[in-house]
Tab-separated table of all heavy atoms in Angstrom:
chain	number	residue	atom	x	y	z
A	1	GLY	N	110.544	-7.294	115.052
A	1	GLY	CA	110.050	-8.267	116.027
A	1	GLY	C	108.628	-7.941	116.435
A	1	GLY	O	107.764	-8.821	116.556
A	2	ARG	N	108.352	-6.663	116.634
A	2	ARG	CA	106.984	-6.235	116.959
A	2	ARG	C	106.049	-6.519	115.781
A	2	ARG	O	104.897	-6.921	115.968
A	2	ARG	CB	106.961	-4.753	117.323
A	2	ARG	CG	107.650	-4.460	118.638
A	2	ARG	CD	107.655	-2.952	118.935
A	2	ARG	NE	108.566	-2.632	120.000
A	2	ARG	CZ	108.318	-2.780	121.290
A	2	ARG	NH1	107.164	-3.267	121.671
A	2	ARG	NH2	109.212	-2.458	122.193
A	3	ALA	N	106.523	-6.288	114.575
A	3	ALA	CA	105.711	-6.576	113.391
A	3	ALA	C	105.412	-8.076	113.298
A	3	ALA	O	104.297	-8.470	112.936
A	3	ALA	CB	106.419	-6.088	112.129
A	4	ALA	N	106.382	-8.907	113.647
A	4	ALA	CA	106.162	-10.363	113.633
A	4	ALA	C	105.106	-10.757	114.667
A	4	ALA	O	104.246	-11.608	114.400
A	4	ALA	CB	107.476	-11.094	113.895
A	5	LEU	N	105.152	-10.138	115.850
A	5	LEU	CA	104.132	-10.411	116.870
A	5	LEU	C	102.755	-9.925	116.406
A	5	LEU	O	101.742	-10.603	116.628
A	5	LEU	CB	104.509	-9.761	118.191
A	5	LEU	CG	105.724	-10.361	118.904
A	5	LEU	CD1	106.093	-9.522	120.126
A	5	LEU	CD2	105.458	-11.797	119.298
A	6	ALA	N	102.714	-8.769	115.760
A	6	ALA	CA	101.448	-8.261	115.230
A	6	ALA	C	100.894	-9.212	114.171
A	6	ALA	O	99.692	-9.486	114.141
A	6	ALA	CB	101.641	-6.861	114.650
A	7	ALA	N	101.758	-9.744	113.313
A	7	ALA	CA	101.322	-10.695	112.283
A	7	ALA	C	100.779	-11.972	112.919
A	7	ALA	O	99.768	-12.521	112.467
A	7	ALA	CB	102.473	-11.007	111.330
A	8	ALA	N	101.422	-12.445	113.976
A	8	ALA	CA	100.938	-13.642	114.665
A	8	ALA	C	99.565	-13.388	115.289
A	8	ALA	O	98.668	-14.237	115.204
A	8	ALA	CB	101.944	-14.077	115.732
A	9	LEU	N	99.370	-12.223	115.878
A	9	LEU	CA	98.074	-11.886	116.462
A	9	LEU	C	97.017	-11.743	115.373
A	9	LEU	O	95.891	-12.233	115.516
A	9	LEU	CB	98.176	-10.596	117.280
A	9	LEU	CG	96.897	-10.141	117.979
A	9	LEU	CD1	96.404	-11.192	118.966
A	9	LEU	CD2	97.125	-8.812	118.686
A	10	ALA	N	97.367	-11.104	114.265
A	10	ALA	CA	96.412	-10.890	113.170
A	10	ALA	C	95.915	-12.212	112.585
A	10	ALA	O	94.807	-12.268	112.042
A	10	ALA	CB	97.053	-10.040	112.073
A	11	ALA	N	96.694	-13.265	112.710
A	11	ALA	CA	96.316	-14.574	112.163
A	11	ALA	C	95.352	-15.343	113.076
A	11	ALA	O	94.839	-16.382	112.685
A	11	ALA	CB	97.570	-15.409	111.910
A	12	ARG	N	95.117	-14.860	114.276
A	12	ARG	CA	94.252	-15.535	115.250
A	12	ARG	C	92.803	-15.098	115.058
A	12	ARG	O	92.548	-14.014	114.548
A	12	ARG	CB	94.672	-15.202	116.683
A	12	ARG	CG	96.129	-15.190	116.958
A	12	ARG	CD	96.800	-16.438	117.218
A	12	ARG	NE	96.119	-17.429	118.002
A	12	ARG	CZ	96.627	-18.636	118.146
A	12	ARG	NH1	97.760	-18.943	117.582
A	12	ARG	NH2	96.011	-19.524	118.855
A	13	PRO	N	91.845	-15.891	115.548
A	13	PRO	CA	90.459	-15.411	115.591
A	13	PRO	C	90.362	-14.262	116.603
A	13	PRO	O	90.776	-14.413	117.752
A	13	PRO	CB	89.666	-16.624	116.084
A	13	PRO	CG	90.570	-17.800	115.951
A	13	PRO	CD	91.972	-17.275	115.985
A	14	LEU	N	89.854	-13.112	116.174
A	14	LEU	CA	89.784	-11.928	117.025
A	14	LEU	C	88.337	-11.456	117.163
A	14	LEU	O	87.573	-11.473	116.190
A	14	LEU	CB	90.636	-10.794	116.439
A	14	LEU	CG	92.127	-11.086	116.301
A	14	LEU	CD1	92.822	-9.953	115.542
A	14	LEU	CD2	92.765	-11.293	117.662
A	15	HIS	N	87.988	-11.017	118.374
A	15	HIS	CA	86.658	-10.495	118.661
A	15	HIS	C	86.781	-9.217	119.483
A	15	HIS	O	87.621	-9.144	120.383
A	15	HIS	CB	85.831	-11.511	119.447
A	15	HIS	CG	85.427	-12.693	118.645
A	15	HIS	ND1	86.264	-13.762	118.403
A	15	HIS	CD2	84.263	-12.975	118.016
A	15	HIS	CE1	85.642	-14.648	117.658
A	15	HIS	NE2	84.419	-14.206	117.413
A	16	LEU	N	85.927	-8.246	119.179
A	16	LEU	CA	85.815	-7.043	119.992
A	16	LEU	C	84.614	-7.219	120.917
A	16	LEU	O	83.508	-7.502	120.462
A	16	LEU	CB	85.628	-5.802	119.119
A	16	LEU	CG	86.900	-5.316	118.427
A	16	LEU	CD1	86.579	-4.219	117.420
A	16	LEU	CD2	87.888	-4.808	119.455
A	17	ALA	N	84.872	-7.078	122.200
A	17	ALA	CA	83.823	-7.255	123.203
A	17	ALA	C	83.497	-5.921	123.841
A	17	ALA	O	84.334	-5.027	123.905
A	17	ALA	CB	84.295	-8.243	124.270
A	18	TRP	N	82.255	-5.821	124.317
A	18	TRP	CA	81.868	-4.642	125.066
A	18	TRP	C	81.169	-5.070	126.330
A	18	TRP	O	80.638	-6.175	126.425
A	18	TRP	CB	81.048	-3.677	124.262
A	18	TRP	CG	79.801	-4.198	123.558
A	18	TRP	CD1	79.143	-5.387	123.764
A	18	TRP	CD2	79.080	-3.531	122.547
A	18	TRP	NE1	78.059	-5.489	122.946
A	18	TRP	CE2	77.988	-4.354	122.179
A	18	TRP	CE3	79.218	-2.321	121.913
A	18	TRP	CZ2	77.067	-3.998	121.206
A	18	TRP	CZ3	78.289	-1.978	120.939
A	18	TRP	CH2	77.242	-2.805	120.597
A	19	GLY	N	81.234	-4.188	127.330
A	19	GLY	CA	80.636	-4.537	128.608
A	19	GLY	C	80.086	-3.327	129.331
A	19	GLY	O	80.391	-2.182	128.991
A	20	GLU	N	79.266	-3.615	130.335
A	20	GLU	CA	78.669	-2.559	131.149
A	20	GLU	C	79.678	-1.944	132.103
A	20	GLU	O	79.519	-0.810	132.541
A	20	GLU	CB	77.486	-3.107	131.947
A	20	GLU	CG	76.288	-3.412	131.087
A	20	GLU	CD	75.098	-3.900	131.894
A	20	GLU	OE1	75.123	-3.806	133.146
A	20	GLU	OE2	74.145	-4.377	131.282
A	21	GLY	N	80.713	-2.680	132.471
A	21	GLY	CA	81.707	-2.148	133.388
A	21	GLY	C	81.105	-1.806	134.737
A	21	GLY	O	80.133	-2.417	135.172
A	22	ASP	N	81.666	-0.811	135.379
A	22	ASP	CA	81.242	-0.393	136.712
A	22	ASP	C	80.701	1.042	136.639
A	22	ASP	O	81.424	1.946	136.224
A	22	ASP	CB	82.445	-0.451	137.656
A	22	ASP	CG	82.114	-0.138	139.093
A	22	ASP	OD1	81.029	0.426	139.366
A	22	ASP	OD2	82.950	-0.446	139.962
A	23	PRO	N	79.452	1.277	137.056
A	23	PRO	CA	78.911	2.640	137.022
A	23	PRO	C	79.761	3.649	137.814
A	23	PRO	O	79.711	4.846	137.538
A	23	PRO	CB	77.512	2.493	137.637
A	23	PRO	CG	77.145	1.068	137.383
A	23	PRO	CD	78.437	0.302	137.470
A	24	ALA	N	80.566	3.178	138.766
A	24	ALA	CA	81.434	4.082	139.537
A	24	ALA	C	82.496	4.731	138.645
A	24	ALA	O	83.090	5.733	139.033
A	24	ALA	CB	82.100	3.322	140.685
A	25	TRP	N	82.735	4.173	137.461
A	25	TRP	CA	83.702	4.754	136.533
A	25	TRP	C	83.181	6.040	135.893
A	25	TRP	O	83.958	6.849	135.401
A	25	TRP	CB	84.051	3.784	135.411
A	25	TRP	CG	84.677	2.500	135.833
A	25	TRP	CD1	85.292	2.218	137.029
A	25	TRP	CD2	84.743	1.308	135.062
A	25	TRP	NE1	85.734	0.919	137.027
A	25	TRP	CE2	85.410	0.336	135.826
A	25	TRP	CE3	84.304	0.958	133.795
A	25	TRP	CZ2	85.659	-0.951	135.378
A	25	TRP	CZ3	84.544	-0.329	133.334
A	25	TRP	CH2	85.214	-1.263	134.117
A	26	ASP	N	81.862	6.219	135.846
A	26	ASP	CA	81.275	7.375	135.160
A	26	ASP	C	81.820	8.670	135.756
A	26	ASP	O	81.698	8.912	136.956
A	26	ASP	CB	79.752	7.356	135.268
A	26	ASP	CG	79.126	6.169	134.542
A	26	ASP	OD1	79.857	5.405	133.898
A	26	ASP	OD2	77.898	6.012	134.637
A	27	GLY	N	82.429	9.468	134.914
A	27	GLY	CA	82.949	10.760	135.343
A	27	GLY	C	84.257	10.698	136.111
A	27	GLY	O	84.777	11.722	136.526
A	28	ALA	N	84.809	9.504	136.318
A	28	ALA	CA	86.072	9.379	137.060
A	28	ALA	C	87.236	9.803	136.189
A	28	ALA	O	87.239	9.580	134.978
A	28	ALA	CB	86.257	7.950	137.542
A	29	ALA	N	88.242	10.394	136.795
A	29	ALA	CA	89.456	10.788	136.078
A	29	ALA	C	90.313	9.553	135.831
A	29	ALA	O	90.207	8.551	136.545
A	29	ALA	CB	90.229	11.812	136.895
A	30	GLY	N	91.179	9.620	134.818
A	30	GLY	CA	92.006	8.490	134.436
A	30	GLY	C	92.776	7.846	135.567
A	30	GLY	O	92.841	6.635	135.681
A	31	ALA	N	93.365	8.651	136.447
A	31	ALA	CA	94.177	8.110	137.543
A	31	ALA	C	93.334	7.349	138.561
A	31	ALA	O	93.846	6.477	139.263
A	31	ALA	CB	94.940	9.231	138.235
A	32	SER	N	92.049	7.653	138.638
A	32	SER	CA	91.205	6.965	139.621
A	32	SER	C	90.554	5.707	139.057
A	32	SER	O	89.886	4.986	139.789
A	32	SER	CB	90.131	7.920	140.153
A	32	SER	OG	89.271	8.303	139.108
A	33	LEU	N	90.749	5.438	137.771
A	33	LEU	CA	90.207	4.224	137.161
A	33	LEU	C	91.143	3.054	137.439
A	33	LEU	O	92.344	3.227	137.586
A	33	LEU	CB	90.029	4.424	135.656
A	33	LEU	CG	88.985	5.463	135.250
A	33	LEU	CD1	89.044	5.716	133.758
A	33	LEU	CD2	87.602	5.016	135.679
A	34	PRO	N	90.600	1.840	137.466
A	34	PRO	CA	91.456	0.688	137.744
A	34	PRO	C	92.425	0.413	136.592
A	34	PRO	O	92.117	0.685	135.431
A	34	PRO	CB	90.461	-0.460	137.897
A	34	PRO	CG	89.247	-0.029	137.154
A	34	PRO	CD	89.210	1.473	137.272
A	35	SER	N	93.584	-0.133	136.927
A	35	SER	CA	94.539	-0.558	135.905
A	35	SER	C	94.009	-1.823	135.250
A	35	SER	O	93.472	-2.709	135.917
A	35	SER	CB	95.903	-0.845	136.534
A	35	SER	OG	96.746	-1.456	135.579
A	36	LEU	N	94.181	-1.921	133.943
A	36	LEU	CA	93.720	-3.094	133.213
A	36	LEU	C	94.879	-4.006	132.806
A	36	LEU	O	94.663	-4.995	132.117
A	36	LEU	CB	92.924	-2.653	131.977
A	36	LEU	CG	91.683	-1.801	132.272
A	36	LEU	CD1	91.025	-1.347	130.976
A	36	LEU	CD2	90.711	-2.550	133.148
């Protein structure tokens, strides 16, 4: 079932995006970063 979902996603137009984010994240530990 997971493989079927992966196949459905692979068939879509996909883009990798990058961003500046928040400078307050610099040097922050994982637990103090926001949940995505």
Side-chain angles (χ1 to χ4, degrees):
R2 291 178 194 280
L5 291 173
L9 181 60
R12 318 278 321 173
L14 299 173
H15 289 81
L16 284 171
W18 53 15
E20 289 182 11
D22 184 344
W25 299 341
D26 295 356
S32 64
L33 294 172
S35 171
L36 300 176

